[in-house]
Amino acid sequence: MPSTVMSEIDANSLLSLLRSAPFSAPYLGETIDWIRRSVQQEAEQGRGSLDVDTEALRRLDAYATGLGSGAAELGRRLSDARHALEAVRHDHYLRLTVGQGASGGTAQVSRRAELLKLATAVGSSRVAAGPTGAIVITSVGSGSMVFRPVSPEVAHQLRGAARERKEATVRRIAAVRDLLAQHVRMVDWSDPQTVGVVVDGSDATVTVSWWESHVTGGPSLWVEGGVRLLCAALLSDRGYMVTLTYDGALHIDA
């Protein structure tokens, strides 16, 4: 059993991670809170000199090694949380998807608290720490995520750049809507039977697509009716770079 001798702030962090961790047995969250409250009550009643969080962890470790309901799962989560606290040492990280660079809007800044919760949730078997402090989280599906530590100054600059990209995308969405609204029917979300063009966006890409509340299966105004072709022509005429996606929508790249 791992040692529970730790500073008060580490004990508090570990308990906080446990409270936010996912459990397949939902009563484990209540068990953690009940043990913590019991220790708190004893401390308030003056039964010895107790460090509440450290004592609560000692009892949780004891519970995890027993035969009580959910003991094995609690033990795994305790191990996951301890591993996360050991691995995640920096305050700011640059998150990247394996195989992609920091450009193109794929890189994001993550704070230590966010990465701690993620590392605890996915489990220690999927979290590895490199010698430079980088964290790799392997995915069950496709790809993995790499978290590279960065200084507060770099984190601030990256957040500022991301904010500027988002603001530029919002402005581009508004401009595209204003342009297309002069020529084609736009979606009116206040109408439950609405039909028309939708302009949306994420990161540095704006998407133009078609929405019908009740698809009849007949000829599509978007394709056969020429609405998509008209939208593409209008956008290209204004200097936008337009590409057709596999799902039939139009993408406008920055």
Side-chain angles (χ1 to χ4, degrees):
M1 181 179 68
S3 172
T4 56
V5 178
M6 60 177 67
S7 68
E8 183 176 351
I9 188 172
D10 287 339
N12 181 269
S13 298
L14 186 47
L15 282 175
S16 178
L17 285 177
L18 282 178
R19 290 192 186 102
S20 63
F23 290 102
S24 59
Y27 54 80
L28 283 175
E30 298 178 6
T31 300
I32 294 167
D33 288 338
W34 175 77
I35 290 176
R36 175 62 169 70
R37 287 195 305 269
S38 297
V39 177
Q40 179 69 49
Q41 186 177 23
E42 291 178 17
E44 291 172 353
Q45 292 174 352
R47 299 179 187 175
S49 177
L50 289 177
D51 181 294
V52 174
D53 289 339
T54 300
E55 175 62 16
L57 282 176
R58 187 191 68 77
R59 297 185 187 186
L60 285 169
D61 276 321
Y63 185 95
T65 59
L67 299 176
S69 299
E73 183 180 5
L74 178 59
R76 289 193 298 271
R77 280 303 178 207
L78 280 163
S79 177
D80 292 337
R82 284 189 170 99
H83 183 267
L85 285 169
E86 179 65 26
V88 183
R89 294 289 188 176
H90 297 268
D91 291 329
H92 304 279
Y93 290 83
L94 180 64
R95 185 180 72 189
L96 298 167
T97 301
V98 170
Q100 297 179 337
S103 61
T106 60
Q108 298 181 25
V109 176
S110 296
R111 290 183 172 87
R112 181 172 185 264
E114 299 167 344
L115 184 49
L116 282 171
K117 288 183 179 181
L118 177 60
T120 301
V122 302
S124 58
S125 64
R126 291 174 50 195
V127 180
T132 62
I135 306 295
V136 178
I137 296 182
T138 58
S139 174
V140 175
S142 59
S144 301
M145 289 182 291
V146 177
F147 296 81
R148 191 181 70 199
V150 293
S151 68
E153 293 77 16
V154 170
H156 178 74
Q157 293 172 2
L158 290 171
R159 289 195 182 99
R163 183 167 56 250
E164 290 176 2
R165 287 197 303 270
K166 183 176 181 180
E167 291 171 352
T169 300
V170 170
R171 291 193 296 270
R172 192 178 302 111
I173 289 172
V176 169
R177 282 177 179 158
D178 290 344
L179 169 63
L180 297 182
Q182 302 175 44
H183 304 277
V184 299
R185 175 185 294 179
M186 306 297 290
V187 158
D188 178 7
W189 295 116
S190 65
D191 180 4
Q193 305 297 323
T194 189
V195 174
V197 172
V198 179
V199 181
D200 205 351
S202 62
D203 204 3
T205 302
V206 176
T207 302
V208 180
S209 58
W210 182 258
W211 171 267
E212 292 187 33
S213 301
H214 301 283
V215 180
T216 62
S220 169
L221 290 175
W222 178 238
V223 180
E224 287 86 348
V227 176
R228 184 175 67 187
L229 184 61
L230 175 59
C231 289
L234 290 167
L235 293 167
S236 297
D237 187 60
R238 287 295 181 91
Y240 291 106
M241 295 181 59
V242 183
T243 57
L244 179 63
T245 66
Y246 71 93
D247 58 358
L250 299 175
H251 274 198
I252 304 168
D253 298 320

